[in-house]
Amino acid sequence: MTDKANREFDIMVYGATGFTGRLVAEYLSQQYAGKDDAPKWAMAGRSQEKLESVRDEIGAPADTPLVVADANDPTSLEAMTKSTKVVISTVGPYVLYGNELVAACARNGTDYCDLAGEPNFILDQIEANNDQAKDSGARIVCSAGFDSIPFDLGVYMAQQHCKEKFGAPAPRIKGRMRGMQGAASGGTVASMQEVAKAAAKDPSLIAKLMSPFMLTEGFNGPEQPRGDKPQYDDKLQSWNAPFVMAPINTKNVHRTNTLLGHAYGENFVYDEMVMTGPGEKGEELAKQLAANPSFGSNDKTPAPGEGPSKEERENGFYDAVFFAEYEDGNGAILSVKGDRDPGYGSTSKMIAETAMCLLRDVPQSTGGVYTPASLLGEKLVQRLEANAGLTFTVES
């Protein structure tokens, strides 16, 4: 177990000159300025000049530490990970730029969180770094943004409510997007493209990617709904369309269940879709989304490094709802809402609070490769509700 008590920094924002990394740095600078629990944080990236420019543009203090580090320079990653307790990585696609960094964190006992929506990358980290992280005490938390925090924690909190209300977890939960304004980040889309390229090069990866249990380390549960075609749900009285984030979110939810000793049950069934409403309008919209599964209402996805304006981020929102069902007809409903656009405004706050949760709230946990819910659970929910504009609401 590595001793991190005397490290120079609490949190390192790696990729701070990118669009999302810049938002994370701005959030930390503003949210924790002058507070008793303010972390000692630094900005890291490839260019000293760009780091200085971003630091000044976001209004961070002039003495904010800047660290030059590059994914292609292992020596710089080694030095960076030894200098801090937690690394926030916004440098994707992670399959291209993330492997060396996670390995360095695992070696040096450094906690880590990222925005990875790439199941093949996460699987690689489990296989390559989980044992090393356990030895060093490094907690590696992947998918700490819109993929997959609202869904991973939404299912987790729905099951907590179900256990209290009915004495047992729900065997079936339907995750449904009820409303959303905003677009995927350019980095998310680039990551999806890299997953597709990897599958094209390695056909054996296709079968893994098709499985909801890709990340459950040998466990295979019951057959899961595919959610890849428009369908009408009598219980919800709504048409439903495929949801572009489902392939990563469902895998993380099942991994959480496995890491928690099957707290949701070994026969747990879960899927995600977008609710489009009843009647002919709902059916038509579901068919449109199935033909062009864009991330939300904005089809103009930014390129990596670009993003929406401050006004667009602040006008964005999302509303995910989780319908828990039992065979005897009982059920419960829990919603997760965010007050910013999902791909940037909310994501930057979620990953920053994940880092704060690792730093302040779970000091004694064992190292390894985790999902947000399996390691941080209700402590992260409390932080997100207090600071990041998310609400978790039991509706029935």
Side-chain angles (χ1 to χ4, degrees):
M1 188 73 68
T2 306
D3 183 7
K4 299 182 293 185
N6 297 317
R7 293 197 174 177
E8 186 177 3
F9 306 114
D10 292 324
I11 295 174
M12 183 74 63
V13 182
Y14 176 66
T17 57
F19 194 89
T20 305
R22 173 190 179 125
L23 293 176
V24 173
E26 185 175 34
Y27 176 82
L28 287 172
S29 176
Q30 294 177 358
Q31 181 70 24
Y32 288 96
K35 292 190 176 178
D36 291 341
D37 66 339
K40 186 173 183 184
W41 64 281
M43 298 166 59
R46 289 181 295 176
S47 164
Q48 176 80 17
E49 187 178 352
K50 285 185 179 179
L51 286 167
E52 291 172 358
S53 175
V54 170
R55 176 196 61 196
D56 296 342
E57 287 171 7
I58 65 175
D63 60 354
T64 300
L66 308 177
V67 175
V68 176
D70 189 336
N72 295 316
D73 179 2
T75 303
S76 70
L77 297 182
E78 192 75 11
M80 180 182 75
T81 55
K82 285 181 175 178
S83 72
T84 187
K85 297 175 183 176
V86 186
V87 170
I88 295 174
S89 176
T90 63
V91 181
Y94 292 92
V95 72
L96 296 181
Y97 305 116
N99 291 300
E100 290 294 333
L101 176 57
V102 178
C105 286
R107 276 195 304 275
N108 296 315
T110 305
D111 295 336
Y112 164 98
C113 52
D114 67 24
L115 303 173
E118 304 154 51
N120 48 330
F121 170 78
I122 299 170
L123 182 62
D124 287 346
Q125 305 323 305
I126 295 167
E127 293 176 345
N129 296 308
N130 194 48
D131 290 344
Q132 177 74 74
K134 286 180 179 178
D135 289 342
S136 71
R139 285 88 55 85
I140 309 297
V141 181
C142 298
S143 306
F146 186 63
D147 46 348
S148 297
I149 278 180
F151 309 93
D152 189 27
L153 284 175
V155 172
Y156 177 86
M157 293 302 288
Q159 291 288 31
Q160 296 296 99
H161 172 62
C162 284
K163 289 174 193 175
E164 291 175 11
K165 187 174 181 180
F166 302 113
R172 171 78 170 107
I173 289 184
K174 298 173 181 176
R176 297 292 182 264
M177 286 306 301
R178 192 163 53 182
M180 182 164 62
Q181 174 76 35
S185 72
T188 293
V189 174
S191 292
M192 289 177 175
Q193 292 169 344
E194 288 302 322
V195 172
K197 287 179 187 175
K201 289 179 183 176
D202 178 9
S204 68
L205 183 59
I206 297 174
K208 293 180 182 178
L209 290 168
M210 292 291 287
S211 171
F213 300 100
M214 179 179 179
L215 304 178
T216 57
E217 298 182 75
F219 172 79
N220 278 296
E223 187 172 346
Q224 304 287 310
R226 289 171 62 96
D228 58 351
K229 295 177 181 177
Q231 56 183 250
Y232 185 76
D233 190 317
D234 287 322
K235 284 188 176 180
L236 306 186
Q237 295 187 326
S238 175
W239 279 90
N240 296 278
F243 180 41
V244 70
M245 309 300 293
I248 179 61
N249 292 337
T250 53
K251 292 175 178 62
N252 278 321
V253 166
H254 285 297
R255 177 161 175 77
T256 290
N257 186 30
T258 303
L259 289 174
L260 294 177
H262 300 288
Y264 311 159
E266 292 194 2
N267 294 312
F268 178 59
V269 176
Y270 176 70
D271 71 327
E272 291 178 0
M273 299 189 79
V274 179
M275 297 177 71
T276 58
E280 292 182 3
K281 285 187 177 179
E283 182 179 9
E284 181 60 30
L285 182 53
K287 288 178 177 177
Q288 289 176 8
L289 280 176
N292 178 29
S294 59
F295 191 81
S297 57
N298 182 356
D299 293 332
K300 295 179 180 178
T301 302
E306 299 177 351
S309 67
K310 186 172 187 287
E311 183 181 12
E312 288 171 325
R313 296 196 302 272
E314 291 181 352
N315 287 335
F317 71 92
Y318 53 91
D319 176 9
V321 61
F322 301 87
F323 298 92
E325 298 177 354
Y326 291 80
E327 292 178 4
D328 62 5
N330 279 323
I333 302 171
L334 180 137
S335 64
V336 180
K337 297 178 182 179
D339 69 345
R340 294 288 187 272
D341 80 295
Y344 296 92
S346 189
T347 280
S348 57
K349 295 192 289 185
M350 283 189 275
I351 194 169
E353 289 300 336
T354 298
M356 287 297 295
C357 198
L358 283 165
L359 181 68
R360 302 284 189 228
D361 303 336
V362 287
Q364 302 302 322
S365 54
T366 304
V369 179
Y370 290 93
T371 57
S374 64
L375 178 65
L376 306 176
E378 290 180 55
K379 291 181 178 178
L380 182 54
V381 170
Q382 291 165 4
R383 278 198 171 272
L384 295 172
E385 289 199 315
N387 302 321
L390 273 72
T391 55
F392 292 74
T393 306
V394 173
E395 296 188 1
S396 77

